Protein backbone atom coordinates (compact mmCIF):
# COMPACT_ATOMS: atom_id res chain seq x y z
CA UNK A 1 0.00 0.00 0.00
CA UNK A 2 1.26 3.46 -0.88
CA UNK A 3 1.01 6.07 1.87
CA UNK A 4 0.50 9.80 1.47
CA UNK A 5 0.53 11.99 4.56
CA UNK A 6 1.16 15.30 2.82
CA UNK A 7 -1.68 15.45 0.28
CA UNK A 8 0.68 15.46 -2.69
CA UNK A 9 -0.04 12.02 -4.13
CA UNK A 10 -2.60 11.70 -6.91
CA UNK A 11 -4.01 9.13 -9.29
CA UNK A 12 -5.25 9.13 -12.88
CA UNK A 13 -8.29 7.11 -11.82
CA UNK A 14 -9.48 5.52 -8.59
CA UNK A 15 -12.29 4.51 -6.32
CA UNK A 16 -12.18 6.62 -3.16
CA UNK A 17 -13.42 5.57 0.27
CA UNK A 18 -14.04 8.55 2.54
CA UNK A 19 -14.27 8.46 6.32
CA UNK A 20 -12.38 8.74 9.58
CA UNK A 21 -12.11 4.93 9.91
CA UNK A 22 -11.25 5.07 13.60
CA UNK A 23 -11.04 1.50 14.84
CA UNK A 24 -11.87 0.06 11.41
CA UNK A 25 -14.87 -1.77 12.86
CA UNK A 26 -17.10 -4.11 10.88
CA UNK A 27 -19.13 -1.21 9.46
CA UNK A 28 -15.95 0.33 8.11
CA UNK A 29 -14.92 -3.02 6.68
CA UNK A 30 -18.23 -3.29 4.80
CA UNK A 31 -17.58 0.16 3.31
CA UNK A 32 -13.98 -0.73 2.42
CA UNK A 33 -15.08 -4.01 0.81
CA UNK A 34 -17.58 -2.10 -1.36
CA UNK A 35 -14.83 0.32 -2.40
CA UNK A 36 -12.40 -2.52 -3.16
CA UNK A 37 -14.97 -4.38 -5.25
CA UNK A 38 -15.72 -1.22 -7.25
CA UNK A 39 -11.99 -0.54 -7.73
CA UNK A 40 -11.32 -4.07 -8.95
CA UNK A 41 -14.27 -3.87 -11.34
CA UNK A 42 -13.04 -0.52 -12.71
CA UNK A 43 -9.40 -1.64 -12.82
CA UNK A 44 -8.21 1.29 -10.71
CA UNK A 45 -6.62 1.62 -7.26
CA UNK A 46 -8.70 1.86 -4.11
CA UNK A 47 -7.85 5.07 -2.25
CA UNK A 48 -8.74 5.60 1.39
CA UNK A 49 -8.87 9.34 1.95
CA UNK A 50 -9.06 10.33 5.61
CA UNK A 51 -7.73 12.78 8.16
CA UNK A 52 -4.61 12.35 10.26
CA UNK A 53 -6.44 13.64 13.34
CA UNK A 54 -10.12 13.76 14.23
CA UNK A 55 -11.77 16.84 12.64
CA UNK A 56 -13.43 17.73 15.95
CA UNK A 57 -9.98 18.64 17.25
CA UNK A 58 -10.27 21.79 15.13
CA UNK A 59 -14.06 22.15 15.02
CA UNK A 60 -14.95 21.63 18.68
CA UNK A 61 -11.95 20.60 20.82
CA UNK A 62 -14.15 19.98 23.87
CA UNK A 63 -15.96 17.17 22.03
CA UNK A 64 -12.98 15.30 20.54
CA UNK A 65 -13.50 11.61 21.28
CA UNK A 66 -10.56 9.46 22.34
CA UNK A 67 -9.34 7.66 19.24
CA UNK A 68 -9.59 3.88 19.12
CA UNK A 69 -6.49 3.46 16.97
CA UNK A 70 -3.31 5.34 16.20
CA UNK A 71 -2.64 6.48 12.66
CA UNK A 72 -0.18 3.59 12.24
CA UNK A 73 -2.76 1.07 13.45
CA UNK A 74 -5.40 2.53 11.10
CA UNK A 75 -2.98 2.23 8.19
CA UNK A 76 -2.32 -1.44 8.96
CA UNK A 77 -6.02 -2.25 9.31
CA UNK A 78 -6.90 -0.40 6.12
CA UNK A 79 -4.07 -2.11 4.23
CA UNK A 80 -5.45 -5.46 5.42
CA UNK A 81 -8.82 -4.40 3.97
CA UNK A 82 -7.24 -4.08 0.53
CA UNK A 83 -6.47 -0.40 0.09
CA UNK A 84 -3.92 0.43 -2.57
CA UNK A 85 -3.36 4.03 -1.42
CA UNK A 86 -3.80 5.48 2.07
CA UNK A 87 -4.07 9.26 2.19
CA UNK A 88 -4.36 11.00 5.56
CA UNK A 89 -4.33 14.77 5.36
CA UNK A 90 -4.18 17.37 8.10
CA UNK A 91 -7.56 18.86 8.96
CA UNK A 92 -6.63 22.53 8.64
CA UNK A 93 -8.68 25.69 9.16
CA UNK A 94 -8.85 26.06 5.37
CA UNK A 95 -10.26 22.54 5.03
CA UNK A 96 -12.69 23.13 7.90
CA UNK A 97 -14.03 26.27 6.19
CA UNK A 98 -14.08 24.86 2.63
CA UNK A 99 -17.48 24.72 0.91
CA UNK A 100 -18.53 21.10 0.26
CA UNK A 101 -18.43 21.63 -3.51
CA UNK A 102 -14.79 22.76 -3.28
CA UNK A 103 -13.90 19.73 -1.13
CA UNK A 104 -15.30 17.43 -3.81
CA UNK A 105 -13.60 19.49 -6.53
CA UNK A 106 -10.23 18.93 -4.84
CA UNK A 107 -11.03 15.24 -4.44
CA UNK A 108 -11.80 14.96 -8.16
CA UNK A 109 -8.68 16.88 -9.14
CA UNK A 110 -6.43 14.75 -6.93
CA UNK A 111 -7.87 11.23 -7.33
CA UNK A 112 -10.02 11.37 -10.50
CA UNK A 113 -12.53 8.97 -8.94
CA UNK A 114 -14.74 6.67 -10.95
CA UNK A 115 -16.66 6.14 -7.72
CA UNK A 116 -16.72 7.47 -4.18
CA UNK A 117 -17.91 5.32 -1.27
CA UNK A 118 -19.16 6.82 2.00
CA UNK A 119 -21.19 5.82 5.01
CA UNK A 120 -24.80 6.94 5.40
CA UNK A 121 -23.82 9.62 7.94
CA UNK A 122 -20.69 10.99 6.25
CA UNK A 123 -20.51 14.78 6.13
CA UNK A 124 -17.91 17.03 4.54
CA UNK A 125 -17.11 20.65 3.89
CA UNK A 126 -17.87 23.75 5.89
CA UNK A 127 -19.96 22.97 8.99
CA UNK A 128 -20.58 19.45 7.66
CA UNK A 129 -22.92 20.90 5.02
CA UNK A 130 -21.98 18.18 2.52
CA UNK A 131 -24.11 15.05 2.74
CA UNK A 132 -24.22 11.75 0.85
CA UNK A 133 -27.13 13.20 -1.16
CA UNK A 134 -25.06 16.22 -2.20
CA UNK A 135 -22.12 13.93 -2.99
CA UNK A 136 -24.39 11.91 -5.28
CA UNK A 137 -25.52 15.09 -7.07
CA UNK A 138 -21.95 16.33 -7.44
CA UNK A 139 -20.82 12.91 -8.63
CA UNK A 140 -23.49 12.92 -11.31
CA UNK A 141 -22.30 16.35 -12.49
CA UNK A 142 -18.59 15.52 -12.23
CA UNK A 143 -18.66 12.00 -13.67
CA UNK A 144 -18.32 9.62 -10.74
CA UNK A 145 -20.70 7.19 -9.07
CA UNK A 146 -21.54 7.54 -5.41
CA UNK A 147 -22.13 4.52 -3.22
CA UNK A 148 -23.63 5.10 0.23
CA UNK A 149 -23.26 2.26 2.71
CA UNK A 150 -26.26 2.10 5.07
CA UNK A 151 -25.99 1.76 8.85
CA UNK A 152 -24.58 -1.64 9.73
CA UNK A 153 -26.16 -3.72 12.48
CA UNK A 154 -25.19 -7.02 14.04
CA UNK A 155 -28.02 -8.97 15.63
CA UNK A 156 -30.13 -5.82 15.66
CA UNK A 157 -27.44 -3.72 17.35
CA UNK A 158 -25.85 -0.77 15.54
CA UNK A 159 -22.11 -0.73 14.94
CA UNK A 160 -20.20 2.55 15.20
CA UNK A 161 -16.96 3.91 16.63
CA UNK A 162 -19.01 5.94 19.11
CA UNK A 163 -20.65 2.76 20.42
CA UNK A 164 -17.29 0.95 20.57
CA UNK A 165 -15.89 3.85 22.65
CA UNK A 166 -18.88 3.55 24.97
CA UNK A 167 -18.28 -0.18 25.46
CA UNK A 168 -14.66 0.53 26.37
CA UNK A 169 -15.59 3.29 28.80
CA UNK A 170 -18.18 0.95 30.39
CA UNK A 171 -15.59 -1.81 30.79
CA UNK A 172 -17.26 -4.19 28.30
CA UNK A 173 -14.41 -5.28 25.99
CA UNK A 174 -16.33 -8.39 24.86
CA UNK A 175 -18.83 -6.06 23.20
CA UNK A 176 -15.97 -4.31 21.40
CA UNK A 177 -14.85 -7.60 19.90
CA UNK A 178 -18.40 -8.20 18.73
CA UNK A 179 -18.56 -4.79 17.02
CA UNK A 180 -15.13 -4.94 15.45
CA UNK A 181 -15.07 -8.55 14.33
CA UNK A 182 -18.70 -9.56 14.16
CA UNK A 183 -18.18 -12.44 16.57
CA UNK A 184 -20.76 -13.20 19.21
CA UNK A 185 -19.68 -12.29 22.76
Amino acid sequence: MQISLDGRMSASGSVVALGMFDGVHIGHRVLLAKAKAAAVQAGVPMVVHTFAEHPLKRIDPERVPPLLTTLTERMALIEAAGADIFSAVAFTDALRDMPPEDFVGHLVQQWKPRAVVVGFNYTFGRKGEGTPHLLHELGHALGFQTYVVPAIQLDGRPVSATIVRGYLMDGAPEQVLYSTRGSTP
Side-chain angles (χ1 to χ4, degrees), residues 149-164:
V149 175
I152 303 300
Q153 294 194 350
L154 288 171
D155 295 335
R157 298 187 295 179
V159 176
S160 76
T162 301
I163 290 171
V164 169

Side-chain angles (χ1 to χ4, degrees), residues 16-160:
V16 178
L18 294 173
M20 188 61 200
F21 301 107
D22 184 26
V24 192
H25 57 66
I26 196 165
H28 294 143
R29 290 197 324 265
V30 168
L31 189 151
L32 294 168
K34 176 68 177 170
K36 185 62 178 182
V40 168
Q41 183 177 11
V44 295
M46 176 181 131
V47 174
V48 172
H49 189 81
T50 188
F51 300 113
E53 295 179 328
H54 201 290
L56 280 176
K57 190 170 185 177
R58 193 164 295 276
I59 295 168
D60 189 353
E62 298 293 319
R63 291 186 32 228
V64 179
L67 294 181
L68 298 169
T69 52
T70 66
L71 183 61
T72 301
E73 291 166 335
R74 269 197 292 157
M75 285 189 286
L77 291 165
I78 287 170
E79 182 175 26
D84 299 298
I85 299 171
F86 178 86
S87 174
V89 297
F91 191 79
T92 62
D93 288 340
L95 196 53
R96 179 196 62 204
D97 298 336
M98 185 179 290
E101 297 82 2
D102 291 354
F103 176 82
V104 173
H106 285 285
L107 192 73
V108 168
Q109 183 179 13
Q110 183 175 14
W111 300 116
K112 305 196 181 28
R114 307 255 175 96
V116 176
V117 185
V118 296
F120 71 99
N121 60 351
Y122 184 75
T123 60
F124 58 96
R126 179 184 51 228
K127 296 183 181 178
E129 294 168 348
T131 63
H133 179 74
L134 177 60
L135 185 63
H136 178 76
E137 289 177 352
L138 293 170
H140 183 72
L142 297 170
F144 63 84
Q145 289 187 298
T146 301
Y147 297 107
V148 180
V149 175
I152 303 300
Q153 294 194 350
L154 288 171
D155 295 335
R157 298 187 295 179
V159 176
S160 76

